[in-house]
Amino acid sequence: PPSFATRQASPTAPAAIKPGEETRLTWQLTHAASGKPVEQLQVMHERVVHNFIVNLDFSSFAHIHHEDFKALTADDLKRATFTLPYRFPRAGHYRIVSDFTHRNRNWIRQFDVTVGTPPPQPTPPADFSTVQTVGEFQGRLSMSPAVPVAGYETELVLKLARGDAPVTDLALILGSEVHVALWREDGQHFGHTHSYTPHMASMLGAMHDKALDADARARMMADMMVMMMNMPAELVFHGPEIPIHYVFPEPGVYHLFLQCAPGGTPRVFHFAVKVEHWREGMTTRIDSIVTGHDGAP
């Protein structure tokens, strides 16, 4: 498969990044072997490159794109060069992950930046509360199995409320009911996933039902990605619940940022989840905790 490099096309402007000041981030996707720009990048969830910016103490998060600020031109795409402004909210160590698709395969590249003079104190302890409030909205996270096990599928369900009323007016955001970005607490094992729709479940079920070797499974996953890219965006879950399925690759504490749009207003809910090694007696069975597309039992 091709190998890619992510490099800055020019220094950030200003070169010394200060918290709270607008910084222009510019980078280029190139083939590692030849140094040539990566052409024919594919649109995935309405954007060519998804960029995730997180303070590595997990106190801030952003999911942004070149197209959020100005249209991509043919020259931008030919040079595989992207730029966007960002204000880093506070001093610290930040990780920027770029997620893109080329030749029906998903890739990620990341780099780190230091903003200002990072504070010397250690990362604060994770908040394992399963209920978070953002503005007028409350998000509750449930999981099955209740203790996620590394290497096994976990069902996560975000349940939304506005005051005492369940949210039933969820809108699509970038073609999905939810975008989930996550990292383990040490900054490793980045993941990006979306709502677990019945169509996705049927495609994955068909794959799991087949006796496939690793190469055949990879080809089938690539074919599924192409199908999903070509499908029109469809709102399946109006609320209050949004199901997500994910396989945490290794044990540890993970920080999850769930981006959704109740009432069409983008909101981000931040949860911390502890993932365990499998031990004798632990269950890995999923007993679905989704009550229905519109919350009906």
Side-chain angles (χ1 to χ4, degrees):
S3 178
F4 298 119
T6 306
R7 65 182 183 185
Q8 290 178 275
S10 63
T12 56
I17 305 175
K18 297 180 181 179
E21 292 188 0
E22 184 173 292
T23 300
R24 188 178 71 251
L25 301 173
T26 303
W27 64 95
Q28 183 181 42
L29 294 172
T30 61
H31 290 279
S34 66
K36 294 181 179 180
V38 179
E39 296 191 58
Q40 298 179 329
L41 292 166
Q42 295 164 270
V43 175
M44 174 63 86
H45 285 282
E46 302 180 6
R47 296 293 186 267
V48 175
V49 180
H50 292 261
N51 304 288
F52 303 90
I53 304 176
V54 69
N55 189 323
L56 286 175
D57 68 3
F58 301 99
S59 63
S60 68
F61 165 82
H63 174 192
I64 55 178
H65 321 80
H66 178 117
E67 302 96 310
D68 297 344
F69 304 96
K70 60 180 180 180
L72 277 168
T73 66
D75 187 57
D76 292 330
L77 293 170
K78 184 177 181 179
R79 296 185 299 116
T81 298
F82 307 89
T83 184
L84 52 85
Y86 185 66
R87 294 180 187 270
F88 293 89
R90 54 181 290 193
H93 299 288
Y94 288 79
R95 179 153 295 166
I96 303 175
V97 178
S98 296
D99 184 342
F100 61 98
T101 302
H102 179 259
R103 294 183 180 176
N104 301 332
R105 181 172 174 181
N106 183 248
W107 301 83
I108 63 168
R109 288 296 180 266
Q110 66 182 35
F111 55 94
D112 295 340
V113 297
T114 299
V115 176
T117 303
Q121 65 262 28
T123 300
D127 176 6
F128 292 106
S129 172
T130 58
V131 178
Q132 299 291 339
T133 299
V134 179
E136 69 272 41
F137 297 101
Q138 181 188 79
R140 180 183 298 273
L141 185 69
S142 302
M143 296 179 291
S144 180
V147 178
V149 179
Y152 293 87
E153 195 168 20
T154 299
E155 180 181 82
L156 304 105
V157 177
L158 177 65
K159 187 172 185 177
L160 297 167
R162 184 189 286 106
D164 294 328
V167 166
T168 58
D169 58 355
L170 199 68
L172 290 176
I173 181 168
L174 297 173
S176 180
E177 291 88 352
V178 65
H179 284 257
V180 183
L182 60 92
W183 289 263
R184 197 169 65 176
E185 199 163 47
D186 59 2
Q188 302 303 307
H189 300 304
F190 168 78
H192 176 200
T193 191
H194 310 93
S195 53
Y196 187 70
T197 64
H199 189 78
M200 184 187 300
S202 66
M203 289 194 295
L204 288 173
M207 184 181 74
H208 292 321
D209 288 343
K210 297 179 183 294
L212 301 173
D213 60 27
D215 289 341
R217 189 174 295 273
R219 287 194 299 271
M220 193 167 182
M221 285 292 291
D223 291 341
M224 286 173 51
M225 178 174 287
V226 174
M227 290 174 60
M228 292 172 61
M229 283 193 297
N230 292 326
M231 288 171 54
E234 178 186 7
L235 181 66
V236 176
F237 304 106
H238 297 268
E241 295 180 325
I242 314 171
I244 302 140
H245 279 222
Y246 194 72
V247 177
F248 294 95
E250 296 288 344
V253 173
Y254 286 78
H255 288 263
L256 284 64
F257 296 90
L258 283 69
Q259 184 180 23
C260 56
T265 304
R267 291 287 185 267
V268 176
F269 293 88
H270 175 197
F271 296 95
V273 170
K274 189 172 184 181
V275 178
E276 301 281 2
H277 276 292
W278 183 85
R279 300 187 303 274
E280 190 69 34
M282 292 183 73
T283 181
T284 59
R285 186 183 69 240
I286 292 176
D287 295 317
S288 183
I289 47 182
V290 183
T291 56
H293 292 184
D294 297 305

